[in-house]
Amino acid sequence: IFAILGVLAYGGYNTSAKQSAIAREKMARLKELQTTIRLITQDFEQLAPRSVRDVLGDKMVGALEANPTNTQYIVRLTRAGWTNPAGVQRSTLQRVAYELDKDKGILCRDYWTVLDGTLANKPVQRELIKDVVSVKFNYRDASGQAYEQWPPPTQTVNPERLRPIGVELTLELKDFGTL
């Protein structure tokens, strides 16, 4: 009788342990997704109208630069609110960019330690979320018109300082589908 009860108890414990491991894995994935959305949201909420020089110093690049045909970055922007707890002498503005490694299915966030960088300034990269199929941003101007690129092609006056009034993110993941 004790042997039968022991086998039944072990089976129940084994099932419970497997379910607990699955739940931990799902919670880690959800945390990864929430962190990604939080970072993207914070970056766009703190979008600063500060354009930057290109790496060669020849021309100014917009505070927000997004072109879906860009082969490397989906979007690049200047954001405010870069914390400085060590009191290092530097700006509170930060240049960030998002890129999707389609081969690996990983969405990454890059940032630079200086705004007006050169070829020698390499970005610091952070992998945000895995198993990404696609990432798409839409930007709305003051009239409510949606654009896939920013600044809009119709904008001719100060396009480098122009900011959208709204940003829509569509994220397609292998396990969650389209968000």
Side-chain angles (χ1 to χ4, degrees), residues 47-53 59-65 76-78 95 150-152 155-164:
L47 180 62
R50 165 53 158 89
S51 54
V52 297
R53 296 186 197 290
K59 64 178 184 167
M60 296 302 282
V61 177
L64 173 60
E65 182 185 39
R76 291 187 290 187
L77 59 102
T78 303
R95 191 71 175 174
W150 196 266
Q155 182 66 29
T156 57
V157 179
N158 289 334
E160 66 274 354
R161 294 182 58 88
L162 187 65
R163 295 181 290 175

Side-chain angles (χ1 to χ4, degrees), residues 28-143:
R29 177 70 172 158
L30 185 59
K31 182 180 178 185
E32 186 180 55
L33 175 61
Q34 289 173 332
T35 300
T36 300
I37 299 297
R38 180 181 49 81
L39 280 172
I40 292 171
T41 301
Q42 286 176 344
D43 285 344
F44 278 100
E45 283 177 346
Q46 298 189 24
L47 180 62
R50 165 53 158 89
S51 54
V52 297
R53 296 186 197 290
D54 69 350
V55 293
L56 299 175
D58 294 339
K59 64 178 184 167
M60 296 302 282
V61 177
L64 173 60
E65 182 185 39
N67 188 342
T69 61
N70 189 326
T71 56
Q72 184 175 9
Y73 293 114
I74 302 165
V75 61
R76 291 187 290 187
L77 59 102
T78 303
R79 65 163 297 199
W82 189 15
T83 59
N84 191 3
V88 177
Q89 192 171 10
R90 65 165 170 79
S91 173
T92 59
L93 298 177
Q94 183 181 44
R95 191 71 175 174
V96 299
Y98 289 92
E99 70 175 302
L100 175 61
D101 183 337
K102 292 183 180 181
D103 296 332
K104 296 178 183 175
I106 300 173
L107 179 64
C108 298
R109 179 183 186 265
D110 293 357
Y111 74 89
W112 287 263
T113 56
V114 295
L115 284 176
D116 297 314
T118 63
L119 290 172
N121 298 111
K122 300 295 180 197
V124 178
Q125 188 171 78
R126 176 181 177 184
E127 290 184 358
L128 295 177
I129 190 165
K130 296 177 174 88
D131 296 331
V132 178
V133 177
S134 68
V135 178
K136 182 180 175 188
F137 288 93
N138 278 317
Y139 308 91
R140 298 214 179 256
D141 65 7
S143 68

